[in-house]
Amino acid sequence: MAVEARRSFADVGPGGLAPAIPRPAAETAPPAAATGDFDRVLAATVLCLVAFGLVMIYSASHVQALRQFGSSTYFLSRQVLFAGLGVATMIGMSYVPFRLYRALTYPILAAGLLGLIAVVGGAGTTIRGATRWIAFGPVNLEPSELAKIAVVIWLCYSVAKKRDLVRSFSVGFVPHMLLAGLTAFLCLLQPDFGSAMIIAFMTFAILFVAGARISYLIGSLFVAVPVVYQVIAGSAYRSARILSFLDPWKDRLKTGYQLVESQIGFGAGGVLGQGIGEGRQKLLFLPDAHNDFISSIVGEELGLVGVLLLLGAFGLLLARGYAIARRCRDTFGGFLAFGLTTLIGLQAIVNVGVAMGALPTKGLALPFVSYGGSSLLVHMASVGILLNISRHAGATPAEADDGR
Amino acid sequence: MAPLFGPPGELSEFRGRFRWIALFVILVFAGLLARAAQLQIFEGYEYVERSRHNIERTREIPTARGVIRDAEGQLLAYNTPAYTAYITPEFFDIAEDWPTVVRYLNLGPERANKLRERLTRLQGLKRYQPYPVAENLDDRQLALLTAHHAELDGLSVEETPMRVYPLRQLAAHVLGYLNEVSEAEIERHRAEGYRYLPGDRIGRTGLEAVWERELRGTRGRVTVIVNAKGVEKGKDPFGAATGRRYEIEPVPGNDLILSLNARLEAIVDQAFRGHPAGAAVVLDARTGFVLAMYSKPSYDPNAFIQGLSRADAQVLEQNPFLPLHDKTAMDHYFPGSLFKPFAALAALEQPAMLEPGDLFDPAARFRCEGAYELAGQRFRCTKVHGLVDLHEAIVQSCNVYFFQLARRMGIDRLAQVAREFGFGEKTGIALSKEVPGLVPDKDWYRSRPEYGFQYRVGYALLAAIGQGNTKVTLLQLAAAYAALANGGYLYRPQLVKEVLYPDGRVRMSFGPELVRRIEMDPENQRKLVDALRGVVEAPQGTAHDQWTPGLEIAGKTGTAEVARRRRDRERRRRDSRSTEERYRERDHAWFAGFAPADDPEIVVVVLVEHGGYGGRYAAPIAVEIFREYFKRIAPR
């Protein structure tokens, strides 16, 4: 592993001068044996984040929990349950050969889309003005969490299959844009502007790395930007969000409320923070802080040091994920590792950025840390897949030789 | 080989692209870290304040300003409960709720726009401070705001005491008034450790200004735990973080007890009926305490509390009779003949200064032929008095006699005695903006370019009859006449007898304050008092018309020329002019006196601006004051 980790693109040599001779499709390549060890650093990082999340969730939610449910551990105990399920899911998924998803791509995609359609079509539960959840017994499922990962899997599958054709407009570009657009549109209807933006960004990132023509990507931006503008300007609540992001203090009590309170939390934390449990913002000034604004509580109670550690953990996670992607001998696996890693990192960045007032409010959970079962399970599953990919990309002697 | 990005041929492009993504991610993380540092290191203190403001709301408790009472306990200034509407900008939705507030408060469009702009402009922590938008709410406004309070976040109604001056115009100049404290004053006082808030009133003039520190008290501050919308929480499930805590206990201001007598003030006002402008001072001749200080016309200080409208302020400022001036101390005048007793004393007390001859002796006579010639210049008298001695010269107010004295004594001797009696310097009464007046001597003339840096004997002649450049205030005259009456004790005029704590305990108590003891021969003093009695009692006395049996008044009339040169006056008199202009050029009428003459209790100085002849216009007012004082205030 140590040897593998040091390998970089620079080792490959001036391959760019060589004629473009496509290798056989990945399907025909000899499958790497799943004999490698999984990425322990990645797994440890994720487990740390989940444990950290439990602490912060309790700190952030005990006041509100006591008020709403009469038990300060209401949110904590539920999240402990989800965490247990999540760890099990992660471990379980790490044993499912990732190639299986190639076959399951369309069923997963269908499930994601159906979930979204069901939510939009009237089966959804409305919480705080947005219909994003499907009540499933005692649990509210959030189909957009599944949809995001489904679209990523499908995109990876598709670009891996099409290989060079990705460069073409009709085969490599249009279908991806259409399907991603449809999913994003369904998210918008909920409304879940954040997930829609995440899907859009993921599409661009995967197509970009897969080799789509830059001109197509830029060209599509010219189409997308006016559409996005229309979507924002056409909705009072979204334009209010954007405007309040630009100057949250202006309408502090209404649209700018959470943004302002969240920034206050960060600022009040200073370098060392107020100490765990000592934050004031969660005293109902920042409603549902345990959810989308958990990083604000981190900022307030653990200060800049805590924020550094949190960002460091996600940075490590990204580094490990990209290393897995780079090492993977399987094209699909490589794309999948890249996509899943980017998806997790992107949501973390957006969440922290929003809490610090650096990005508009999106209502995105902080992966692993925020309260919420759907988010946690989906992300734990993603890591499980990543771990499985890391096992296959492990340093078998054959691969090591191959790489030199 | 990195198998992810396919065969080597495509590798360079993919490798590049992967790097772009990695670079992008690094940049985003760096941005987030920079933002975290900005929030948590560089702006941290600010957010700590805001966070504290979130759950702890400091509420200000207005204090009760001390009251002012007269010598008999009558209230001259007190507080009445009033209600003020405040808006805390941070919690107020100005876009949505402002029109409602404007409607409830019935604000005019100009005022509404100004306030709105002000509220929008407030920045930083000031946005958390309640800002007064309407004061002295009427019942309708109060009812509306109380009823709709819950719907208007950030709006609060607080009880704020409002100052009331029940005597209105009476003694307004003495009491002064309050108005809103300015931003600059708030800053300045904060540096001195005292806290004013926007909307607070501060003493602007008079006793309210001079005694501001005693009267104002200390604002209280209480910390209350509030919910996210700034509403005070009743119960809170989190135990410790709840309740009320006084950070500063409010302390009411101290009360002032004045020597002033409100009933006497009313008597003076009544005596001035029919005269548009003038002033009067009544002192206790034995202590220097002020019993009445009166300046006419006056103004209603109650109007100033709410802030005067521009138009009203203009009316006051442009009034030719200067209602905002305290004519007893803020303005000085030629004393005219009121100065003569001091000139006489200057001669009596230092006969050695006189040339040998008949004038040594106050009994010696000098012939007045209606004018005195000096170096080709004619100095006129009021009439032809014939042969007069000192006594008669005072009784009949003969100028020529005093020209003779002045010529022999010189101006410096006059100035010396005048200064002994407190002229030319502020009396030191604790009131704002007192003027010192002027007592010219040779050096003064020699320092003045307008007199060619030259002294002429003629100036001494004018000084002896209180013209020329001698300028005095009513307060100085009153104190000087009191010293003349009581045998040479010059007391500082004082208004405040006591300062009381809110619970009534005495904090400060003031006795008579002797400025100096003026040495004078009791015989000379008796001669002067006799002469001053003669002014009222003798048939030839200039105030004989006003002689009242039973009132032993000793006093002096005076007529101070307003126009600088009589010739100018006469030339202009020939021109056709308006009544007002004629009025403006009439002489000021004076009377200064004390009673009872042999055991003086009070001193009265009266000035009737442009009143004309002192004996005819000022003396009746003074006599009415004496009469009513001994009838109603201190019956004997």
Side-chain angles (χ1 to χ4, degrees):
Chain A
M1 265 214 56
V3 177
E4 286 300 311
R6 257 190 267 115
R7 195 199 284 181
S8 72
F9 289 113
D11 299 330
V12 175
L17 296 175
I21 305 165
R23 291 183 71 177
E27 286 92 328
T28 61
T35 51
D37 210 349
F38 63 86
D39 188 333
R40 288 194 173 118
V41 177
L42 176 63
T45 306
V46 168
L47 289 177
C48 283
L49 279 171
V50 172
F52 178 66
L54 291 178
V55 174
M56 293 319 294
I57 284 167
Y58 180 66
S59 176
S61 72
H62 68 276
V63 168
Q64 189 178 348
L66 187 62
R67 227 178 223 193
Q68 273 184 4
F69 301 101
S71 155
S72 63
T73 54
Y74 176 84
F75 293 109
L76 175 69
S77 51
R78 288 169 70 91
Q79 189 72 3
V80 168
L81 185 70
F82 293 136
L85 280 173
V87 173
T89 306
M90 180 180 83
I91 294 170
M93 294 294 271
S94 74
Y95 287 103
V96 176
F98 70 88
R99 288 182 192 78
L100 197 57
Y101 306 117
R102 214 166 1 216
L104 287 175
T105 294
Y106 283 102
I108 293 173
L109 183 64
L113 287 177
L114 281 175
L116 285 182
I117 291 167
V119 165
V120 174
T125 307
T126 305
I127 301 175
R128 287 185 215 284
T131 311
R132 295 178 190 166
W133 295 266
I134 295 177
F136 194 78
V139 197
N140 284 326
L141 290 180
E142 198 173 354
S144 57
E145 292 287 354
L146 180 61
K148 280 182 273 190
I149 201 170
V151 168
V152 167
I153 291 174
W154 175 75
L155 281 166
C156 294
Y157 161 82
S158 180
V159 296
K161 191 176 73 179
K162 288 171 179 164
R163 317 280 337 250
D164 270 3
L165 287 175
V166 164
R167 296 178 64 85
S168 82
F169 184 73
S170 55
V171 177
F173 186 73
V174 174
H176 301 136
M177 291 311 259
L178 279 181
L179 196 115
L182 171 70
T183 320
F185 178 71
L186 286 172
C187 286
L188 274 183
L189 288 178
Q190 296 185 3
D192 183 354
F193 190 62
S195 293
M197 288 304 289
I198 294 286
I199 288 169
F201 186 90
M202 288 306 302
T203 310
F204 272 85
I206 291 172
L207 287 179
F208 176 78
V209 171
R213 282 183 193 275
I214 303 289
S215 55
Y216 295 160
L217 292 174
I218 291 174
S220 66
L221 276 181
F222 282 100
V223 180
V225 167
V227 171
V228 169
Y229 176 81
Q230 202 53 45
V231 165
I232 291 172
S235 151
Y237 111 94
R238 272 187 293 270
S239 51
R241 265 189 178 184
I242 298 292
L243 288 175
S244 71
F245 159 68
L246 294 175
D247 184 6
W249 298 90
K250 192 173 159 196
D251 189 11
R252 188 202 145 139
L253 276 189
K254 306 268 161 74
T255 52
Y257 183 78
Q258 280 183 312
L259 276 183
V260 165
E261 296 298 335
S262 172
Q263 285 180 49
I264 287 176
F266 264 99
V271 177
L272 294 175
Q274 313 240 345
I276 284 196
E278 297 296 316
R280 288 165 158 161
Q281 291 304 101
K282 65 202 178 196
L283 294 177
L284 309 182
F285 286 98
L286 199 50
D288 295 338
H290 53 282
N291 205 328
D292 296 345
F293 281 93
I294 190 95
S295 50
S296 167
I297 304 295
V298 174
E300 185 183 10
E301 302 194 344
L302 297 175
L304 185 59
V305 173
V307 177
L308 278 174
L309 286 174
L310 184 68
L311 289 178
F314 277 103
L316 184 60
L317 193 152
L318 279 169
R320 300 307 297 192
Y322 285 153
I324 292 168
R326 227 181 43 214
R327 279 202 313 267
C328 186
R329 294 173 53 86
D330 184 276
T331 316
F332 170 66
F335 278 121
L336 194 57
F338 169 79
L340 294 176
T341 307
T342 307
L343 183 59
I344 291 169
L346 186 62
Q347 296 192 79
I349 285 166
V350 171
N351 177 282
V352 177
V354 166
M356 292 197 300
L359 293 169
T361 317
K362 281 292 178 290
L364 282 177
L366 182 62
F368 312 116
V369 183
S370 279
Y371 173 82
S374 301
S375 163
L376 186 64
L377 287 180
V378 166
H379 288 118
M380 293 301 268
S382 303
V383 175
I385 297 171
L386 272 177
L387 290 175
N388 182 263
I389 298 172
S390 77
R391 287 160 68 94
H392 286 82
T396 60
E399 278 175 13
D401 288 343
D402 192 7
R404 299 276 150 116
Chain B
M1 273 293 134
L4 165 57
F5 302 111
E10 300 155 24
L11 204 60
S12 69
E13 188 178 353
F14 296 140
R15 185 180 66 192
R17 288 189 171 188
F18 198 93
R19 279 185 170 176
W20 279 114
I21 294 286
L23 181 68
F24 175 78
V25 169
I26 289 167
L27 283 179
V28 170
F29 267 79
L32 286 181
L33 281 178
R35 174 66 178 162
Q38 181 199 3
L39 279 177
Q40 306 199 279
I41 298 177
F42 301 108
E43 295 172 3
Y45 65 95
E46 194 179 332
Y47 289 102
V48 171
E49 276 297 305
R50 285 178 172 156
S51 149
R52 198 172 59 74
H53 269 283
N54 258 352
I55 56 168
E56 295 177 359
R57 190 69 28 82
T58 325
R59 277 181 50 181
E60 298 292 341
I61 306 168
T63 177
R65 193 177 175 86
V67 301
I68 304 179
R69 290 177 189 277
D70 82 343
E72 296 176 337
Q74 190 181 334
L75 282 168
L76 305 181
Y78 63 95
N79 311 301
T80 184
Y83 293 89
T84 303
Y86 291 90
I87 281 178
T88 310
E90 191 57 48
F91 304 105
F92 186 74
D93 185 341
I94 202 149
E96 201 166 294
D97 293 339
W98 181 244
T100 316
V101 171
V102 169
R103 204 169 67 244
Y104 288 166
L105 293 176
N106 208 7
L107 298 173
E110 193 188 329
R111 173 111 183 104
N113 283 335
K114 215 171 132 188
L115 271 173
R116 188 197 168 115
E117 195 195 320
R118 178 97 188 118
L119 288 171
T120 322
R121 232 179 33 230
L122 290 171
Q123 284 302 320
L125 290 181
K126 283 201 176 125
R127 292 186 59 77
Y128 295 92
Q129 232 175 37
Y131 189 84
V133 289
E135 293 170 329
N136 202 13
L137 302 176
D138 61 31
D139 290 348
R140 191 193 69 94
Q141 294 168 324
L142 197 59
L144 278 170
L145 291 185
T146 318
H148 297 280
H149 181 259
E151 302 148 31
L152 298 167
D153 286 337
L155 183 106
S156 54
V157 175
E158 304 277 344
E159 191 182 320
T160 45
M162 192 179 70
R163 201 66 158 169
V164 177
Y165 303 100
L167 299 189
R168 298 163 63 85
Q169 278 87 353
L170 273 190
H173 299 96
V174 176
L175 298 174
Y177 56 84
L178 315 172
N179 61 19
E180 196 168 338
V181 65
S182 71
E183 290 276 331
E185 284 166 326
I186 293 176
E187 290 302 318
R188 200 171 65 239
H189 283 92
R190 180 183 317 217
E192 293 167 11
Y194 186 82
R195 228 159 41 86
Y196 289 99
L197 291 181
D200 278 355
R201 297 296 188 267
I202 187 171
R204 195 56 75 192
T205 64
L207 292 174
E208 295 274 30
V210 172
W211 294 88
E212 171 73 14
R213 277 162 191 280
E214 292 295 326
L215 289 167
R216 63 189 177 188
T218 310
R219 269 190 163 283
R221 191 158 57 175
V222 65
T223 300
V224 290
I225 307 300
V226 293
N227 67 14
K229 293 201 164 179
V231 178
E232 189 174 341
K233 280 198 281 203
K235 280 185 194 148
D236 191 289
F238 314 120
T242 186
R244 246 170 198 268
R245 180 173 82 240
Y246 277 94
E247 285 184 0
I248 307 169
E249 288 274 0
V251 181
N254 299 320
D255 298 344
L256 294 188
I257 308 294
L258 306 187
S259 56
L260 208 75
N261 187 308
R263 289 192 297 137
L264 185 61
E265 199 76 31
I267 287 168
V268 177
D269 187 47
Q270 174 66 15
F272 264 88
R273 66 194 173 275
H275 298 284
V281 172
V282 182
L283 293 189
D284 186 323
R286 299 156 300 192
T287 60
F289 275 108
V290 175
L291 303 180
M293 257 174 107
Y294 179 81
S295 184
K296 189 178 183 178
S298 186
Y299 57 89
D300 185 352
N302 294 298
F304 284 74
I305 303 291
Q306 297 301 311
L308 219 52
S309 76
R310 192 164 295 240
D312 289 346
Q314 216 160 19
V315 166
L316 277 176
E317 276 161 21
Q318 289 177 352
N319 186 326
F321 300 127
L322 304 174
L324 294 177
H325 273 239
D326 179 0
K327 292 168 180 165
T328 62
M330 264 174 79
D331 283 334
H332 56 201
Y333 301 87
F334 297 127
S337 299
L338 295 202
F339 196 70
K340 284 175 181 166
F342 305 101
L345 194 69
L348 286 170
E349 283 289 307
Q350 219 168 9
M353 280 199 64
L354 299 175
E355 286 175 4
D358 47 7
L359 278 170
F360 276 115
D361 182 359
R365 291 171 176 265
F366 187 81
R367 181 172 300 279
C368 165
E369 287 166 339
Y372 183 80
E373 300 255 356
L374 179 76
Q377 214 181 334
R378 262 174 83 82
F379 293 85
R380 298 171 60 147
C381 195
T382 47
K383 64 172 189 179
V384 180
H385 290 100
L387 276 175
V388 289
D389 62 8
L390 179 70
H391 181 90
E392 288 160 338
I394 291 176
V395 169
Q396 298 179 36
S397 205
C398 174
N399 287 351
V400 171
Y401 185 93
F402 282 93
F403 292 150
Q404 287 286 355
L405 282 190
R407 192 178 163 193
R408 283 159 174 77
M409 280 190 295
I411 197 168
D412 285 355
R413 171 62 184 158
L414 283 171
Q416 183 192 356
V417 172
R419 289 191 185 122
E420 280 268 287
F421 278 88
F423 295 112
E425 64 180 19
K426 293 181 182 179
T427 65
I429 192 173
L431 274 184
S432 38
K433 289 188 185 165
E434 192 188 2
V435 296
L438 179 63
V439 176
D441 55 14
K442 284 182 184 164
D443 288 344
W444 187 83
Y445 280 103
R446 286 173 183 148
S447 72
R448 308 296 295 184
E450 65 265 40
Y451 295 103
F453 303 105
Q454 260 190 335
Y455 168 73
R456 296 163 194 269
V457 183
Y459 301 149
L461 271 53
L462 290 172
I465 61 163
Q467 295 286 154
N469 283 295
T470 307
K471 295 276 188 70
V472 303
T473 67
L474 268 77
L475 215 50
Q476 287 172 338
L477 279 169
Y481 268 80
L484 210 58
N486 65 29
Y489 295 88
L490 181 68
Y491 289 109
R492 194 180 307 291
Q494 293 186 83
L495 277 159
V496 179
K497 287 196 81 118
E498 283 180 329
V499 178
L500 303 182
Y501 285 110
D503 60 8
R505 278 180 303 124
V506 177
R507 170 170 157 77
M508 301 180 204
S509 185
F510 300 94
E513 192 185 341
L514 191 64
V515 177
R516 71 179 70 88
R517 170 86 167 92
I518 303 160
E519 292 298 331
M520 61 172 98
D521 185 341
E523 181 62 21
N524 290 336
Q525 193 242 354
R526 194 190 52 73
K527 278 182 187 149
L528 279 177
V529 171
D530 278 350
L532 293 174
R533 281 181 84 144
V535 169
V536 183
E537 289 172 6
Q540 316 93 314
T542 49
H544 181 66
D545 291 355
Q546 300 304 318
W547 179 70
T548 313
L551 285 180
E552 296 167 21
I553 301 171
K556 183 77 194 76
T557 59
T559 309
E561 291 181 10
V562 173
R564 265 196 107 71
R565 289 187 195 283
R566 196 167 279 242
R567 253 174 300 167
D568 293 354
R569 211 157 43 129
E570 280 167 357
R571 180 175 51 73
R572 271 186 278 152
R573 191 169 286 162
R574 287 194 295 273
D575 307 339
S576 59
R577 282 168 306 126
S578 69
T579 326
E580 195 201 310
E581 279 174 67
R582 276 171 198 275
Y583 169 84
R584 307 276 304 159
E585 289 186 357
R586 278 171 68 181
D587 296 335
H588 291 325
W590 279 113
F591 186 90
F594 45 88
D598 47 9
D599 180 22
E601 266 184 59
I602 59 167
V603 174
V604 175
V605 177
V606 168
L607 168 75
V608 183
E609 281 190 295
H610 309 295
Y613 181 58
R616 189 144 95 224
Y617 296 100
I621 294 173
V623 171
E624 182 173 336
I625 295 169
F626 280 119
R627 193 181 65 225
E628 294 299 314
Y629 176 83
F630 289 116
K631 193 164 105 192
R632 285 161 54 190
I633 309 289
R636 315 176 71 207

